[in-house]
Amino acid sequence: MKQLLVSIRRTPYQSLAVFSSLFLTLFLSLLLVFCLNFLYGLLGYVESRPQVTIYFQNETSEPSILKVKNELEKSGKVESVKYMSKNDAYALYKQLNKDNPLLLEMVTADILPASLEIFAKKPSYLPEIASYLNNVTGKDEVNFQKNVVDKLLSLTSVVRTMSLAFFLFLMGSTIIILMTITHFKVALKKEEIELLRLMGATAGYVRKPFMNQAVFLGFVASTVVYGIFAGILFLIYPSMQGYLRGIQSLFVDLGPYKLVVWPLSIVYAGGLYILLTLFGMGIAGFATYFATRKYLTIQRN
Amino acid sequence: MIQFEGVTKSYPLGTVALDNVSFNIERNEFVFLVGTSGAGKTSILNLILGDLYPSSGTVIVNDVDLSPRKCRKIEELRRYIGVVFQDFKILQDKDVFENIALGLHIQQLPIRKIKEQVREVLKLVGLEEKERYFPIQLSAGELQRVAIARAMCGDRQIILADEPTGNLDPKTTWDIMKIFKKVEDHKTIIVATHNTDVVNSMKKRVIVLKQGRLIKDMKKGGYEL
């Protein structure tokens, strides 16, 4: 550790250049991963909401609503239909606004409409179902979310593609910068490296201080990035909470495991930190390994 | 310990550095390589160190065949060879102690052992007072003694010295040779030199080279060309 710090102190500008380059890449990568996860969570949330909701007028009787439900179920185009009575709606409203007594005081079960929440078997059935519901007697409003899902899906897809391209560009340029800086460092130590090789040092022995320094700077850069990112999140967390009020949780479906991205949890924050640190140390180590490889082969004439 | 059999070393432009050279050097032997510039002395040292490979013939050092171009055991072998370069090759940003300890770090010895061994060898070369001096603070003779100390430190069984007294005054030259004499009983020492007085006085084995050919190999010889 002492040697590592001495080595960083002896090449301050090169170390700063490595740190800055890693800092920028890691910060933007973390931002991209965070936003993408959030978008995926949001997409999953929207997809899990009823795809078509019909709200009925106050005077529509429960038997006629249940008749519509029955017809929808018989159509073969519907996965499930959930009836939400006025009382169910009021119970849900109370749960969502339990922290706001003023809102609770102002609303009673009577003013909330009964509704049917419909999940189609295929997205292509949605326009047909919506069209049928628009002609139902006693309907107040038909809420058709296909457009929202489609827009979010295409937005996620564009963001993902752009993020991937940007991420690859960032990674490529960082590796080139780190390799160039390492070339400089190796050139400065050329005499020492030649001597060490003549004295029987293995390539690994010669490479070790360069690798240690790179991995250490990768660790420091990722920790600083994470600290700053956590600070920013801490500052904007209250406004995010206000904006996402009503959404209990957002998660990314990873097959057997559901990664909860909202509200922020220790598992998610810890996972992000571990990934970021491994990525920072990995990219710095990778670039240094390849930069030094060329100089460490024993050339026998 | 060191075996050269019909060794020829030629370079792509046609220069022949060594031409069909054969000799054996036993363990703990002291050998002078003499000859004019370009006779092939340094090529022999570089072949022993594995820095060169022979164009034809066989070079075996410590049972390791160094003849093939690719030899996996070179690093391991080099850990048992100490080299004293004509231009010293002392690292300017490290002090005397650190320069000498380089080889011991490569051998992965514990710090306590490294300190012990470096101090022992510093005493041998008479630099015990200057272990924290930087190269810029030392004379040419002292630098050469640091280079010798580095070459002798640790488990180095073979010492190769390329013109170790080339730029030194006669008194310092003899100081250096005395250091070699102190360890000659337990190390194989090969010294390439032009120094007639040293070779004549030491009465050691002398291998004489001329234009890449071995022309004389004398058990207790003097400087003859």
Side-chain angles (χ1 to χ4, degrees), chain B residues 42-60:
Chain B
T42 304
S43 295
I44 287 180
L45 297 183
N46 284 334
L47 281 162
I48 295 171
L49 189 60
D51 211 22
L52 293 179
Y53 69 98
S55 308
S56 65
T58 316
V59 176
I60 296 172

Side-chain angles (χ1 to χ4, degrees), chain A residues 197 199-200 202 205 300-301, chain B residues 9 50 53 66 68 78-79:
Chain A
R197 294 299 266 162
M199 293 175 83
T202 57
Y205 179 87
R300 299 180 76 200
N301 298 308
Chain B
K9 179 64 196 174
Y53 69 98
L66 293 170
R78 283 179 178 176
R79 274 173 241 155

Side-chain angles (χ1 to χ4, degrees), chain A residues 56-70:
Chain A
F56 292 93
Q57 291 162 357
N58 267 345
E59 56 273 19
T60 313
S61 64
E62 191 169 279
S64 44
I65 296 173
L66 292 175
K67 192 180 160 206
V68 174
K69 179 177 183 273
N70 205 21

Side-chain angles (χ1 to χ4, degrees), chain B residues 16-213:
Chain B
V16 179
L18 289 175
D19 185 5
N20 196 24
V21 171
S22 301
F23 61 82
N24 283 328
I25 295 174
E26 300 300 326
R27 191 174 292 276
N28 302 338
E29 214 177 340
F30 195 128
V31 181
F32 283 113
L33 294 175
V34 300
T36 52
S37 294
K41 305 185 293 288
T42 304
S43 295
I44 287 180
L45 297 183
N46 284 334
L47 281 162
I48 295 171
L49 189 60
D51 211 22
L52 293 179
Y53 69 98
S55 308
S56 65
T58 316
V59 176
I60 296 172
V61 179
N62 236 4
D63 298 326
V64 177
D65 186 357
L66 293 170
S67 313
R69 186 166 189 176
K70 284 192 176 172
C71 177
R72 286 168 185 271
K73 290 189 171 175
I74 283 184
E75 289 156 353
E76 196 185 326
L77 179 71
R78 283 179 178 176
R79 274 173 241 155
Y80 296 98
I81 301 175
V83 189
V84 183
F85 301 94
Q86 192 179 2
D87 59 352
F88 313 141
K89 287 202 194 299
I90 301 295
L91 301 175
Q92 298 298 312
D93 62 339
K94 296 192 189 299
D95 62 26
V96 169
F97 185 97
E98 289 168 332
N99 264 290
I100 295 172
L102 273 181
L104 301 174
H105 282 297
I106 292 170
Q107 289 173 345
Q108 317 243 315
L109 294 184
I111 299 292
R112 188 182 51 80
K113 279 227 158 190
I114 290 176
K115 282 183 180 169
E116 243 175 61
Q117 292 202 19
V118 172
R119 281 176 189 148
E120 198 178 305
V121 82
L122 274 170
K123 209 170 167 188
L124 183 79
V125 298
L127 287 175
E128 60 267 53
E129 303 296 321
K130 301 197 169 176
E131 71 170 53
R132 288 300 162 198
Y133 279 46
F134 278 87
I136 200 161
Q137 299 168 290
L138 302 175
S139 68
E142 285 170 332
L143 285 174
Q144 191 62 300
R145 278 190 274 167
V146 174
I148 292 170
R150 186 179 63 197
M152 286 175 176
C153 216
D155 195 16
R156 311 250 166 196
Q157 294 162 6
I158 301 170
I159 308 291
L160 306 177
D162 193 3
E163 304 280 6
T165 57
N167 303 316
L168 305 178
D169 61 76
K171 187 193 170 295
T172 315
T173 297
W174 280 109
D175 289 344
I176 299 294
M177 294 322 291
K178 275 180 204 164
I179 298 168
F180 283 128
K181 274 188 77 75
K182 281 183 197 171
V183 294
E184 68 176 330
D185 291 341
H186 52 276
K187 293 206 191 282
T188 306
I189 302 171
I190 303 166
V191 180
T193 185
H194 283 298
N195 196 313
T196 319
D197 290 344
V198 166
V199 178
N200 288 336
S201 313
M202 298 271 288
K203 295 285 177 211
K204 299 291 178 189
R205 181 179 170 189
V206 178
I207 292 175
V208 185
L209 296 158
K210 193 172 185 182
Q211 291 173 340
R213 290 176 178 230

